[in-house]
Amino acid sequence: MHNPRRAAAAFLLGLPFAAAPLPAQPTSPSRAVIAARLAFNAAIARRDLDAMRATFTPSYHVLLGRSSQSHGPEASIERWRSTFAADSLYGCVRTPDQVTVNAQRGLADEAGHWRCRYEGVPAGAPPGYATGIYHGKWQRDAGGSWRLHAEIFTTLECAGKSTACAPPDSVPAARAGLLPAPVAGQSSAAAVRAARDWYNRAIARSDANAIVALFTPDYHAVFGRGMHIEGVEAARADWIEDPASCIRTADRVLVNDVWGLAHERGRWQCRATVNGAVARQSGRYAAKWERDVSGRWRVQAELFTTLQCTGAQADCRPPDPLPAR
């Protein structure tokens, strides 16, 4: 292991980087995104806040494993700063499993898995470890660097005596009558898929109230061109103003039943008519679900990346340019 940054991160967590080697000279956009991810891992290992900050776009948003959120680079950096100060053992490694790039638009969709180590609580207790999966959306800036636009993390396992292993806050129940009742004996993964089907049907009939009934109070979405929607009322207004013909198809649903969390990955496609011209968009998405106190699965966050768009140019605009860092 000749790369000192990679060696530092691997030593910290006892994890190899063989699954995603860092190319000396990235030869493709997907390898460049992997290189950017591994550089971010190395910045975490050496606690280099400036290097971490430089990886984020100005509108960076993150949803963490226990479901807390930060919006903007500075809010995220302050979270990292306080975590480093409070925990001498803390470290995380994120390993890409799949990277899909829209080179023309300068967008990339990353899916992977992560592992973090924490100090034990109280002092002297065995360290804690958490593992899970994540989804990242990257955008290429004007200087050619790939930068993180948004990330969603979901904790699937957490072990040890650490405050990081406290379950997330409970989600209140939706208003009565707005969502189907839980099905007895149905697995959580099947329940999430059923909720996604219900969501697709609500989109098909342009029922904004039914759509947002599925959302948790702190719902956040990042759409294909990079626009953010924060909160249920903002989402309701957006669906009323701009109803879309969209369908989302889950490829994979992983569940942490103990904490009532689920991570969904899938494919999406939308059709829109702009001034009589039809545009068709498609791409990949990730969604984080939480089970509310009534047993219903609700969406906390969704992250969409546009990988293809054909037809009306008014609806196939590339994302706004990102200045070089």
Side-chain angles (χ1 to χ4, degrees), residues 157-188:
E157 294 183 6
C158 201
K161 294 183 178 180
S162 166
T163 54
C165 284
D169 296 337
S170 59
V171 178
R175 281 194 299 145
L178 289 178
L179 295 174
V183 177
Q186 188 178 45
S187 72
S188 293

Side-chain angles (χ1 to χ4, degrees), residues 171-232:
V171 178
R175 281 194 299 145
L178 289 178
L179 295 174
V183 177
Q186 188 178 45
S187 72
S188 293
V192 169
R193 289 180 180 274
R196 173 59 69 185
D197 290 341
W198 191 90
Y199 189 173
N200 282 331
R201 292 195 297 273
I203 292 173
R205 63 178 187 269
S206 299
D207 189 340
N209 289 329
I211 292 169
V212 301
L214 269 176
F215 299 161
T216 64
D218 59 349
Y219 173 78
H220 192 100
V222 180
F223 294 110
R225 292 187 61 252
M227 183 182 73
H228 291 249
I229 290 289
E230 185 169 5
V232 172

Side-chain angles (χ1 to χ4, degrees), residues 88-156:
S88 63
L89 293 181
Y90 180 79
C92 286
V93 170
R94 291 81 179 265
T95 303
D97 296 323
Q98 182 179 18
V99 175
T100 308
V101 177
N102 180 336
Q104 183 179 13
R105 285 175 173 251
L107 297 175
D109 174 273
E110 176 200 10
H113 60 281
W114 59 270
R115 178 180 172 91
C116 293
R117 181 183 181 182
Y118 311 95
E119 275 187 344
V121 177
Y129 293 86
T131 61
I133 57 176
Y134 73 90
H135 217 88
K137 181 174 183 175
W138 296 77
Q139 185 174 348
R140 189 176 54 220
D141 70 18
S145 296
W146 286 93
R147 295 163 65 186
L148 273 166
H149 184 61
E151 298 177 283
I152 293 177
F153 295 88
T154 302
T155 300
L156 296 180

